[in-house]
Amino acid sequence: MKTLQKILTPDQPIPAVEFNPDLILIFGSRDSLEKINLQPLKTSYPQAIVTGCSTSGTIAQGQIYEDEVVVNYIDFEKTPLKYTYCSLKQVNFDSLEVGRHIANELLTEDIKHIFLLSDGLNVNGTSLIKGMADKCNGRATSSGGLAGDADRFTKTLVIHPETLQPTEHLVVAVGFYGKHIQVGYGSRGGWESFGIDRKVTKSKNNVVYEIDGQPALQLYKSYLGEKAKELPASALLFPLNMEISEHHTSVVRTILSVNEEEQSMTFAGDIPEGSTVRLMRSNSEKLIKGALQAADDALSLLQNPDFAILVSCVGRKLVLRQLAEEEVEAVQQELNADVVTGFYSYGELAPTGEMRTCELHNQTMTITTFREV
């Protein structure tokens, strides 16, 4: 595997490289992706799959870039790749159907892994992953993330692999095939619950209307105090821990938007009625420790990776502030991969548990590593 990484300002031309990449992953702020001209990549590397997404901060070389575009060139010597895409608009924003479409398009006998980049605001991540799992039936692992838009929550973009245009409402997935590709993964948080257990008494999919019989948004605002004026961005500092009874595990859910009229909150993934939830908080030391645990989990599955993609939640960045680069630098040193890239997201996708089932996570550092043998 050959890898190369370039960090560009939006007004710089896309540079040529000395090899023919099979995959070009591009991450940058929404503003920078809307400005940069990606069309030369289509001419220079017609065989390459080109995709990427907008971010809430872009990761490269152990640092975080706010306004630059990071271009990652990867050449696989022995690993076939295939891509597919689906517009949420085309299926009436049915995330379950999008997941099924992606799996149907990519599944073959020798599929190994699916890496997915999704719209970050209009998708139900839980349904998206469930749709994929229904079709995959354990035949491939999956990971990826939901695109970001800093802390604005206005518009997210995914680069269309055919037009090379950064596009709203799009989901793109890349399949990796054959016996020569090896994949590792890890996902950890570093958050802790506080307060009392509360029951979700009215919800539909990823929209919560009532908690303990009270309007959900009203109750949540009572915890936020003055920070309620900064919603939805301030909600990233206090996500919800939700227990998944059938798995005997829990996941973190973060808010994407609020509805003042309905007093409801929309989350990145489902929160079913009857779920038990608790507020969460963290500090810099615990978050960085969680990120290192995610790196160790990935290394336990795959030593000496060639290439790593980090997808970390924007909420972690807001808590860490100037220490955010410490998290990224610590993970890069731990992995010791040739190229480490990634982005701060509105949701992270990674397998959990012995069954390697992909879940939607929030407020985690999620890592996917690759190596050819």
Side-chain angles (χ1 to χ4, degrees), residues 38-269:
L38 301 177
Q39 296 306 310
L41 290 172
K42 186 183 294 187
T43 303
S44 299
Y45 311 108
Q47 81 291 345
I49 298 172
V50 181
T51 191
C53 67
S54 62
T55 77
S56 297
T58 304
I59 296 169
Q61 299 179 359
Q63 298 182 54
I64 301 167
Y65 296 88
E66 302 297 342
D67 301 314
E68 290 79 3
V69 176
V70 176
V71 183
N72 302 279
Y73 304 83
I74 309 107
D75 174 36
F76 295 90
E77 295 181 12
K78 309 171 186 176
T79 303
L81 306 179
K82 181 182 176 181
Y83 74 87
T84 190
Y85 60 88
C86 187
S87 169
L88 289 161
K89 277 187 171 181
Q90 291 176 342
V91 293
N92 198 27
F93 293 89
D94 186 339
S95 299
L96 187 72
E97 186 59 34
V98 173
R100 288 171 175 164
H101 169 82
I102 286 169
N104 273 333
E105 290 293 309
L106 294 181
L107 278 181
T108 65
E109 287 297 322
D110 60 344
I111 190 166
K112 189 73 171 284
H113 187 79
I114 298 171
F115 185 79
L116 182 145
L117 295 171
S118 170
D119 173 283
L121 292 174
N122 301 284
V123 73
N124 181 326
T126 304
S127 297
L128 177 67
I129 292 304
K130 184 179 186 304
M132 291 179 61
D134 288 347
K135 296 295 182 179
C136 285
N137 197 25
R139 291 164 58 187
T141 53
S142 304
S143 64
L146 310 188
D149 181 27
D151 61 356
R152 296 178 292 188
F153 292 88
T154 303
K155 180 171 70 171
T156 63
L157 304 171
V158 176
I159 297 172
H160 197 296
E162 293 182 356
T163 67
L164 270 56
Q165 292 295 326
T167 305
E168 283 191 87
H169 310 133
L170 187 66
V171 180
V172 173
V174 179
F176 299 78
Y177 300 85
K179 63 182 180 181
H180 296 291
I181 189 67
Q182 296 183 333
V183 182
Y185 45 82
S187 183
R188 295 291 187 106
W191 298 77
E192 64 180 4
S193 302
F194 72 96
I196 64 173
D197 287 343
R198 295 188 177 275
K199 182 146 293 190
V200 176
T201 47
K202 184 179 179 182
S203 69
K204 182 178 180 181
N205 300 324
N206 61 331
V207 181
V208 177
Y209 298 95
E210 292 182 3
I211 299 175
D212 284 347
Q214 301 179 54
L217 183 57
Q218 176 184 315
L219 179 65
Y220 194 82
K221 283 183 174 181
S222 70
Y223 278 95
L224 289 184
E226 283 297 310
K227 288 189 176 293
K229 298 175 183 177
E230 303 169 23
L231 282 168
S234 58
L236 294 167
L237 303 175
F238 298 96
L240 290 183
N241 181 76
M242 180 187 74
E243 292 185 4
I244 305 177
S245 57
E246 63 267 29
H247 294 167
H248 303 289
T249 59
S250 62
V251 294
V252 182
R253 289 285 181 259
T254 195
I255 294 174
L256 292 181
S257 63
V258 300
N259 187 312
E260 294 285 352
E261 184 178 345
E262 296 180 344
Q263 287 291 290
S264 65
M265 303 184 293
T266 300
F267 290 80

Side-chain angles (χ1 to χ4, degrees), residues 261-283:
E261 184 178 345
E262 296 180 344
Q263 287 291 290
S264 65
M265 303 184 293
T266 300
F267 290 80
D270 286 353
I271 300 188
E273 283 187 12
S275 298
T276 300
V277 296
R278 294 181 77 185
L279 280 167
M280 304 189 80
R281 61 189 171 195
S282 194
N283 59 44

